[in-house]
Amino acid sequence: MLAKSSTELVRQKNSALVLSALRRHGPLAHTELSDFTKLSSATVSVITADLERAQIIEKAEQQAASGRGRPRVLFSQRRNCGYLIVVVISSDAVQYSLVDYAGRLIDRFSEERSQEASGVGPFVADLRDALRRIAARSQLAHDKVLMISISSKGLVDTSEPVLRWSPIFGRDEIDFAAVLRDEWPAKIILGNETLLVASALGRQEENNKGSDFRAMAALSLGHSIGLGIVRRGEEGGHQVSAPNFGHMMHVPGGGLCRCGARGCIEAYAGFYAMLRTAFDVPLDTIPAKFVPIAELDKIAVSARHGGRRNMLAFRQAGLALGNGLSRVLSLHERMPIVITGPGVRYYDLLIEGITEGLAESHVVRMEGMPELRVIVDEPTLVFEGHLNHAFSIIDNDIVRRTASVVELRGQAG
Amino acid sequence: MLAKSSTELVRQKNSALVLSALRRHGPLAHTELSDFTKLSSATVSVITADLERAQIIEKAEQQAASGRGRPRVLFSQRRNCGYLIVVVISSDAVQYSLVDYAGRLIDRFSEERSQEASGVGPFVADLRDALRRIAARSQLAHDKVLMISISSKGLVDTSEPVLRWSPIFGRDEIDFAAVLRDEWPAKIILGNETLLVASALGRQEENNKGSDFRAMAALSLGHSIGLGIVRRGEEGGHQVSAPNFGHMMHVPGGGLCRCGARGCIEAYAGFYAMLRTAFDVPLDTIPAKFVPIAELDKIAVSARHGGRRNMLAFRQAGLALGNGLSRVLSLHERMPIVITGPGVRYYDLLIEGITEGLAESHVVRMEGMPELRVIVDEPTLVFEGHLNHAFSIIDNDIVRRTASVVELRGQAG
DNA sequence: AGTAAATTTCTCGACTGTCGAGAAAAAAGT
DNA sequence: ACTTTTTTCTCGACAGTCGAGAAATTTACT
């Protein structure tokens, strides 16, 4: 209860509502907009006229009339209203995508990262170079890029686009805003990768279940462990967060983790950790920087054929995940859990431990086992999450500026 | 982004803003209202006139003018606009308080609960009886009671006033709405006790730090362990939640807890648990229902004089709390932690374990030790939290109804 | 071809809300 | 009695939403 309300704010919110309907359902006619937003037809008229004048949306070309009556004219985002660059940083590569304001992919390329850590300096140089390149390839002026949305695994600051800790660069922080400010007027945002997965899942679930949707967690298994949580917010929106799950304490004083602490969940359930258990290496051995997935596949094959030690590796990983999840559920509420990431290929070996680790806890005894789902294709979710997250911010920013834009245009004309 | 906005909503929000300013700062004049809410003087005039007409606020009696100029007239809540009954359920007693709409305590009494658990049936009968009594003593018609705000330790449903699990009644649920509906038209709300502590602390902190305030946790130590978290919400308001911290898993398959599960934090840090460790009773012994605090005091004295086994009891409790807190911080952000409840009398013995349990984790290594504060007087915080929480809901409800009330009055007059 | 029916979009007037500026009110000083 | 000072109230302008009905535009039917 801190901010006062005003009629201008009402317009802002309702304009945002119109834009978000367009995002969710694609091109819509006046009538449909009115239906989806529950705004009166008259209001929709005014808002669409404003947005059209501000060059944010446009009427689509007339299309074959489908029935009796005046034909509908569809509104959609003006594609060249602005652009979004999506940067997905993973352990072995960085993927760059250029997307127009309507959400269409225009260009994409990936750059491999050299395995031997080259440090922050060269990485940033590569990043700047690649960004310049993706704009140049589509002959785009830098000021037409509204936002650069970056994701990485690791620990991300909640308010600034600063990477606090990552499996790749460790404690060497990267302040992306500082690094890109000189060349890009765009807004820079940085999100934890699994946060974006959760965001994408939240939208999917909302589409399916409607207002029944309450909350959901995404667990990403791989070299490191990520968790994203999405919940319905006070005002109908989605609140999404990425707790530092991988480095939540599993066992006090337990196995040494890549982060330098001991007993993190990742130190039991990350790929390197499972390998460590499988080979019976002492738990305080400094973990390998990178583990070829083929190595783990071998262990999995053996485990599936009854190899004791190898089964144990997956079981212990599952237990760490299950216990951790039970703690998450204790601190929030019971919610469906979606498991994704490269590690899902071992789901058959992990599930027993996960279930057992969950079962012991008070929450699960009280409220029952949470629903567990598996989704294999993580990269698609990450990209969807980027679009989701980025455009909802972009649209809100745009709407906040529209009033003044219209004013200026009015004076000019 | 689901709900549309409208001019009526604007008025609602701004009316709520006025009422909340009155709550925070006590009686205020027109000018002060305008200052605090940032609303224009004209708008304040309209809103206060509406609220006055609806019998929600009133002008205070003229008071001695303090200086030159037209004297201020203070607005304040109409005391008899409605009443709130606060019910604080603790392990040994139930306290009933009657509060008027201005937040003034009118009547209060406590009823001891018999130690041998008498079950839900008799408890509910006593509750109904006491509620009838507190209204009768002030000759209050039941329909003048706007809300009955109940608190208990234990697990509370997030949407309905249903006690899911409590240290007192175990899994025997109580649906307070169902139980009181026939006699009381009032809204019934139920909150976890430590949630209300957090709510009170949040308000205090907001008053001190203003917009610097981000989040805060309240940890209540006693027979059971409670945790409340308060965070600044999207729209400036406070979001408060009570995770099931006491029964979060501390050690898989660990000591038997009152709740029936194993290894809960409470099974190490609750009073009965510390006693169990001190007397070296096996960890799977069914815990005592109730532990006289004098017993623990003896152990504390011995521990302070170097009694090994007794020191261990407090140390283990501290470790459980510290580890648990580190997990909470992993899942949220770093925030100050206020420790309260009867258990703070052993703070000197617990702090070492707490610190150690916190220190091991990734979060604390990364972001540093969270600020720890001790507040001894928990009951005051609980009551403050009740008022806070209840009146913010009441005010919002009232404001939602005011429009129609004014309309009806307009027709009648 | 002409007209009716159907459907969508646009427009007008009524209503509600906020705001700035200045009028009105009410006390203290001169 | 008049001025100064401070607070409260009031008026007209402006922004926003809404319902109802007019206008537009196509298909169907005679």
Side-chain angles (χ1 to χ4, degrees), chain A residues 2-18:
Chain A
L2 228 132
K4 70 172 176 180
S5 200
S6 66
T7 50
E8 279 92 358
L9 260 178
V10 169
R11 167 56 63 87
Q12 249 179 55
K13 283 207 168 182
N14 287 341
S15 299
L17 200 61
V18 167

Side-chain angles (χ1 to χ4, degrees), chain A residues 42-100:
Chain A
T43 305
V44 171
S45 279
V46 184
I47 289 178
T48 51
D50 270 12
L51 292 176
E52 212 179 342
R53 203 171 331 141
Q55 315 256 348
I56 294 163
I57 62 174
E58 61 187 357
K59 286 181 178 149
E61 283 310 299
Q62 214 71 340
Q63 47 186 18
S66 58
R68 222 134 110 128
R70 182 172 173 172
R72 300 179 162 190
V73 298
L74 300 181
F75 288 101
S76 62
Q77 295 93 345
R78 263 183 83 102
R79 295 229 225 160
N80 60 356
C81 161
Y83 297 84
L84 163 69
I85 300 181
V86 171
V87 182
V88 179
I89 304 172
S90 55
S91 53
D92 51 348
V94 184
Q95 184 197 61
Y96 299 85
S97 309
L98 180 66
V99 182
D100 70 18

Side-chain angles (χ1 to χ4, degrees), chain B residues 4 7 29-31 41-42 45 59 68-73:
Chain B
K4 70 172 174 179
T7 49
H30 180 107
T31 328
S41 165
S45 280
K59 287 181 178 149
R68 225 135 112 122
R70 181 171 173 173
R72 301 180 161 189
V73 297

